Amino acid sequence: MTSPAIPTIRPARPEDVPAVVAMVHELAEYERAPEQCHLTTEQLTSALFTTAPALFGHVAVDEHDEPVGFALWFLNFSTWAGVHGIYLEDLYVRPAARGTGAGRLLLATLADICVRRGYQRLDWQMIDWNPAAGFYASIGAEQTSEWVPYRLGGAALRELAEQAITAGTRTGDRPGRVPDRGDEA
């Protein structure tokens, strides 16, 4: 039996979206939370291929140009360093392609983007029981413990948003609008 070929990494294309969505759902299943994953092909297409995307993606493809892994990411910003960085939202490699270097190459591609653009860091989170911790340590990634992640969602998010509405500080009604160039934050 021959080992699979080393995958190629390239930016995601519209025709890759169905495979990436399927892999996002595979990842949710792997992380024991399939009921929480609602991503659709239409949503991901809209997020990745709008005129000013806030989400970016790369795929690892096999010798037939079929996606076998992906990385979805967006820019963050360090106010202390004064530069952007990359936040890796999801990295996934299908089980049959694990061990081919696909995960390392996806991360290396994002690291290269950081270096070429002058970004100082590549950040991500992973579930605490994921065996990928050993892989991440092997490439020099360090687990941070001094920063504790927080999340505001669901009813608590809506309740806090109501405070902006009742205080008269609502910043506009355009869905998806991100403040920029002097807009209120």
Side-chain angles (χ1 to χ4, degrees):
M1 179 174 194
T2 61
S3 61
I6 296 172
T8 301
I9 308 301
R10 63 169 171 74
R13 300 175 185 154
E15 60 268 21
D16 299 324
V17 170
V20 173
V21 169
M23 287 187 278
V24 168
H25 285 270
E26 290 171 25
L27 175 59
E29 182 77 33
Y30 174 77
E31 292 187 348
R32 305 172 190 154
E35 70 286 350
Q36 295 176 31
C37 185
H38 305 288
L39 182 68
T40 67
T41 300
E42 294 77 20
Q43 288 173 319
L44 188 57
T45 299
S46 176
L48 288 171
F49 301 105
T50 183
T51 54
L55 179 70
F56 306 93
H58 283 79
V59 290
V61 295
D62 64 15
E63 64 274 10
H64 306 290
D65 203 40
E66 294 296 320
V68 296
F70 73 91
L72 292 175
W73 57 276
F74 52 88
L75 296 180
N76 58 18
F77 187 81
S78 170
T79 55
W80 289 12
V83 296
H84 283 288
I86 287 179
Y87 184 84
L88 175 61
E89 178 63 22
D90 281 325
L91 173 75
Y92 180 77
V93 175
R94 286 192 157 143
R98 292 182 187 154
T100 63
R104 178 180 295 269
L105 289 171
L106 284 162
L107 285 170
T109 298
L110 299 185
D112 181 58
I113 292 169
C114 286
V115 170
R116 285 186 293 111
R117 294 182 184 178
Y119 304 161
Q120 293 187 2
R121 57 188 192 206
L122 170 58
D123 294 314
W124 67 91
Q125 293 183 44
M126 78 165 200
I127 203 156
D128 62 0
W129 53 260
N130 190 328
F135 163 65
Y136 293 143
S138 78
I139 63 169
E142 298 175 358
Q143 182 179 2
T144 60
S145 59
E146 68 273 9
W147 297 97
V148 178
Y150 282 82
R151 178 172 295 146
L152 188 59
L157 179 67
R158 289 186 294 278
E159 288 171 19
L160 187 59
E162 282 296 318
Q163 293 177 25
I165 294 167
T166 57
T169 61
R170 194 171 195 184
T171 60
D173 294 323
R174 293 180 280 175
R177 174 88 169 99
V178 177
D180 63 1
R181 298 192 189 116
D183 290 351
E184 292 179 43

